[in-house]
Amino acid sequence: MEEKKVETSLTDQEKVRREKLPKYHELGVDPFGHRFVRTHLISEARSLAQGKDNAALEQANIIVTLAGRINALRRMGKASFMNIQDKTGKIQAYVGIDIIGEKPYALFKLADIGDIVGIKGRLMLTRTGELTVRVTEYTHLTKSLKPFPEKYHGLTDVEERYRHRYVDLIVNEKAKQNAIMRPKIIRAIQKYCDDLGFIEVETSVLSPILGGANARPFVTHHNTLDKDFYLRIATELPLKKLLVGGLERVYEIGRLFRNEGMDTTHNPEFTTIELYQAYGDLSDMRAFAEGLFRTVAKNVTGSTLLKYDDKEIDVGKPFKWVSMAELIKEATGVDFTKDIKFDEAVKLAKEHKVEYDAKLVTSTGQIMNAFFEQFCEAKLIQPTFVHTYPIEVSPLTKKSPDPRFVERFELYIDGHEMANAYTELNDPIDQKERFVEQLKAKERGDEEANEMDHDFLEALEYGMPPAGGIGIGIDRLVMLMCNEKSIREVILFPTMKDRK
């Protein structure tokens, strides 16, 4: 019964393709193929032919063996054309019965768009000047049992592209280029860090303590220990422990998990680089971030002028450096460097219609941060370092000379946070007091508040050197370099809502 149900759900095209399977077996061919040795990628074949006319190609007698997926078929009786593509590009192929023989041509006639094939032949130009492989050997490799959706490029439901990324990569050149660009960007980041003497490390994904950032976690259970763990929301605390251990310059590129909303710039699992430099401070992180963005842009795009949507982002110029208080004063006239009591801050927030959760917000600094998010963030288009944050929203950061604030910056580009950096707090007594305040926030219902990490406090008591630290969102950096407005375009398999 189940088998019949599956069969009747097939489309006409799917039935036709399945009906061809016995015909492959009759010809002695496995419809799902075998190992195949190719001599060239399609891009390499094109390079060999570059600058040659047909006479030069005939004289050179360039023979190539290629493999790829059929993406176009034009059958004309005893001679046909097809296009195949591999990861490097596309090329046309001419298949004639008089060249490959009757049995191979009978095999070729079973081909459908989407099949994976191997071809061997000589490079030539058609009358219209198109580079073509004159096929002498045709090998069937894999039968595609599903036809590609019609007009796939024009699908309005982009979520279907993300759900079927494997099809997206076949038919959408931009998706493929993004997938290829991402590891290049990560390699460029690694080289930049390595050249500065930083050591790449790996730390645990499972954590018994919620810490290192303000975020809602995913919780899992370890059966053997009969204990709950968190999927890490940050790599900060273990990396700082390595500074205590004397590694001095460390970084980790790794996956983080935050049980929060999804939109064009947020995915529940995402990739960051966190980096810590002993004997440094916020100024070192400023120089590091500016150099990193500039170097990666040059290496992977060839320019420091980046086209992003309808804008041109210039990472070649010195990045703007401005305090949070300056931006708020410029936008609203409210000056948070003055001694504004909490009641007065609440009144100012009401006057300016600032939105915040009254249950969780208990300080002037938190209201100041809400002012910034509502009035300033979206205006920061060109690279801008926003520095000097209120202490209440920065529990792991060293105090500024004015103890209401801390030595922290966030880097904004096109209205989005790209990096977050601190002069790190290395005073265990101060750090414990900050953790106590976080515990109070958790009791008030703040699910993103840090927990008390006694092991980290003990590490600080052994002595952590003065340090600067930074976290940079890899996905957002890739979005910038690839000119993509949605994080789902640069994550191969983003988290998706269930189909309705």
Side-chain angles (χ1 to χ4, degrees):
M1 288 289 289
E2 188 62 32
E3 191 67 35
K4 277 189 178 179
K5 186 179 178 183
V6 172
E7 196 64 33
T8 55
S9 69
L10 298 175
T11 65
D12 289 342
Q13 284 195 54
E14 288 170 339
K15 288 176 184 175
V16 168
R17 291 183 181 221
R18 279 166 171 73
E19 286 165 2
K20 290 181 179 180
L21 296 180
K23 297 176 182 178
Y24 283 95
H25 290 295
E26 288 169 14
L27 292 168
V29 174
D30 180 351
F32 299 102
H34 49 78
R35 182 174 182 268
F36 184 80
V37 179
R38 59 182 172 186
T39 59
H40 299 84
L41 295 169
I42 288 172
S43 62
E44 294 169 339
R46 289 192 169 279
S47 295
L48 292 173
Q50 196 167 9
K52 293 181 174 66
D53 60 18
N54 217 7
L57 281 174
E58 193 168 340
Q59 186 176 5
N61 193 34
I62 301 169
I63 307 297
V64 294
T65 303
L66 309 174
R69 191 182 293 274
I70 299 173
N71 66 8
L73 263 175
R74 298 178 297 285
R75 291 196 179 92
M76 300 175 292
K78 296 184 177 182
S80 302
F81 285 94
M82 66 176 176
N83 287 6
I84 69 167
Q85 70 177 55
D86 64 13
K87 67 176 183 178
T88 66
K90 303 173 184 177
I91 198 166
Q92 181 172 266
Y94 170 79
V95 186
I97 192 171
D98 58 327
I99 304 171
I100 67 171
E102 290 187 11
K103 185 177 177 182
Y105 198 77
L107 178 63
F108 167 72
K109 285 171 70 176
L110 295 173
D112 291 293
I113 290 175
D115 288 1
I116 299 171
V117 301
I119 57 173
K120 180 179 180 180
R122 178 174 65 82
L123 295 179
M124 67 173 195
L125 297 178
T126 62
R127 288 185 187 134
T128 59
E130 184 169 357
L131 182 64
T132 302
V133 180
R134 186 176 183 272
V135 178
T136 56
E137 294 180 21
Y138 172 83
T139 305
H140 171 83
L141 294 175
T142 302
K143 188 68 188 169
S144 173
L145 298 181
K146 269 191 171 301
F148 294 126
E150 285 187 39
K151 298 179 182 176
Y152 195 84
H153 289 281
L155 279 182
T156 54
D157 186 358
V158 292
E159 291 208 354
E160 285 307 300
R161 288 205 296 109
Y162 305 143
R163 292 183 201 282
H164 297 93
R165 182 67 85 189
Y166 41 89
V167 180
D168 193 31
L169 291 168
I170 294 167
V171 301
N172 183 351
E173 183 64 25
K174 188 65 166 68
K176 185 170 71 174
Q177 289 308 314
N178 288 347
I180 292 169
M181 180 75 92
R182 184 180 176 110
K184 288 182 179 177
I185 291 168
I186 291 173
R187 300 291 178 274
I189 293 169
Q190 288 170 315
K191 184 177 187 308
Y192 180 77
C193 296
D194 295 346
D195 288 349
L196 290 173
F198 288 88
I199 302 166
E200 185 173 12
V201 297
E202 292 179 307
T203 62
S204 177
V205 171
L206 291 177
S207 173
I209 296 291
L210 181 63
N214 290 93
R216 188 176 178 181
F218 287 95
V219 184
T220 188
H221 188 76
H222 191 293
N223 291 333
T224 301
L225 296 177
D226 192 21
K227 178 180 177 180
D228 283 347
F229 281 80
Y230 302 107
L231 297 185
R232 67 186 181 189
I233 59 170
T235 52
E236 179 163 349
L237 301 187
L239 290 176
K240 286 181 175 178
K241 291 175 187 177
L242 297 180
L243 293 190
V244 174
L247 292 189
E248 295 190 0
R249 292 190 174 205
V250 294
Y251 74 95
E252 179 170 9
I253 296 174
R255 195 66 60 88
L256 304 182
F257 306 86
R258 296 185 182 179
N259 197 353
E260 298 170 348
M262 300 186 296
D263 57 30
T264 55
T265 58
H266 293 88
N267 193 65
E269 52 178 315
F270 59 100
T271 305
T272 67
I273 174 173
E274 284 202 45
L275 173 142
Y276 295 87
Q277 178 179 335
Y279 312 112
D281 65 4
L282 201 64
S283 65
D284 295 289
M285 296 302 99
R286 177 184 177 185
F288 171 86
E290 202 163 320
L292 176 71
F293 275 74
R294 196 165 294 140
T295 301
V296 171
K298 282 181 184 175
N299 288 348
V300 301
T301 74
S303 173
T304 55
L305 283 175
L306 302 171
K307 179 175 170 50
Y308 193 60
D309 198 23
D310 58 348
K311 309 175 186 75
E312 192 172 68
I313 304 297
D314 189 351
V315 297
K317 292 179 181 176
F319 295 2
K320 185 176 179 181
W321 179 257
V322 60
S323 74
M324 180 186 282
E326 287 177 81
L327 289 171
I328 294 170
K329 186 177 180 181
E330 183 181 311
T332 68
V334 177
D335 185 357
F336 277 97
T337 61
K338 293 181 178 177
D339 185 18
I340 299 175
K341 304 301 181 188
F342 180 59
D343 289 346
E344 186 182 349
V346 170
K347 185 179 176 184
L348 288 167
K350 285 180 181 176
E351 288 174 6
H352 290 82
K353 296 182 173 60
V354 175
E355 298 175 6
Y356 64 91
D357 188 338
K359 293 179 184 176
L360 302 180
V361 172
T362 59
S363 68
T364 298
Q366 289 168 305
I367 290 178
M368 175 183 176
N369 193 62
F371 263 84
F372 168 72
E373 290 177 350
Q374 187 161 320
F375 294 110
C376 307
E377 274 187 351
K379 299 176 184 177
L380 305 174
I381 305 303
Q382 293 301 321
T384 303
F385 291 116
V386 180
H387 65 85
T388 312
Y389 277 59
I391 191 169
E392 294 90 344
V393 298
S394 310
L396 299 166
T397 317
K398 202 175 194 73
K399 290 176 183 174
S400 298
D402 181 341
R404 295 175 299 164
F405 302 103
V406 293
E407 295 184 18
R408 173 187 178 187
F409 73 67
E410 288 184 310
L411 171 62
Y412 283 86
I413 297 176
D414 194 39
H416 297 296
E417 177 203 337
M418 304 292 287
N420 185 17
Y422 306 158
T423 296
E424 300 299 336
L425 177 59
N426 64 340
D427 177 345
I429 297 168
D430 188 358
Q431 182 63 81
K432 186 173 182 178
E433 290 171 359
R434 308 275 192 97
F435 279 149
V436 167
E437 290 303 312
Q438 288 288 296
L439 290 176
K440 290 177 183 176
K442 189 174 282 291
E443 287 172 6
R444 290 192 298 270
D446 187 350
E447 295 178 328
E448 298 185 354
N450 284 223
E451 294 179 350
M452 181 75 73
D453 189 333
H454 294 286
D455 186 59
F456 178 61
L457 290 173
E458 184 178 350
L460 289 184
E461 287 175 354
Y462 280 99
M464 186 182 95
I470 191 168
I472 298 172
I474 297 290
D475 306 298
R476 293 185 187 178
L477 178 57
V478 175
M479 286 168 63
L480 177 66
M481 299 295 165
C482 293
N483 189 18
E484 293 289 0
K485 293 294 285 183
S486 171
I487 196 170
R488 294 180 183 179
E489 296 289 358
V490 299
I491 296 175
L492 285 173
F493 299 103
T495 305
M496 303 294 294
K497 296 176 183 175
D498 290 339
R499 285 190 180 92
K500 292 179 181 176

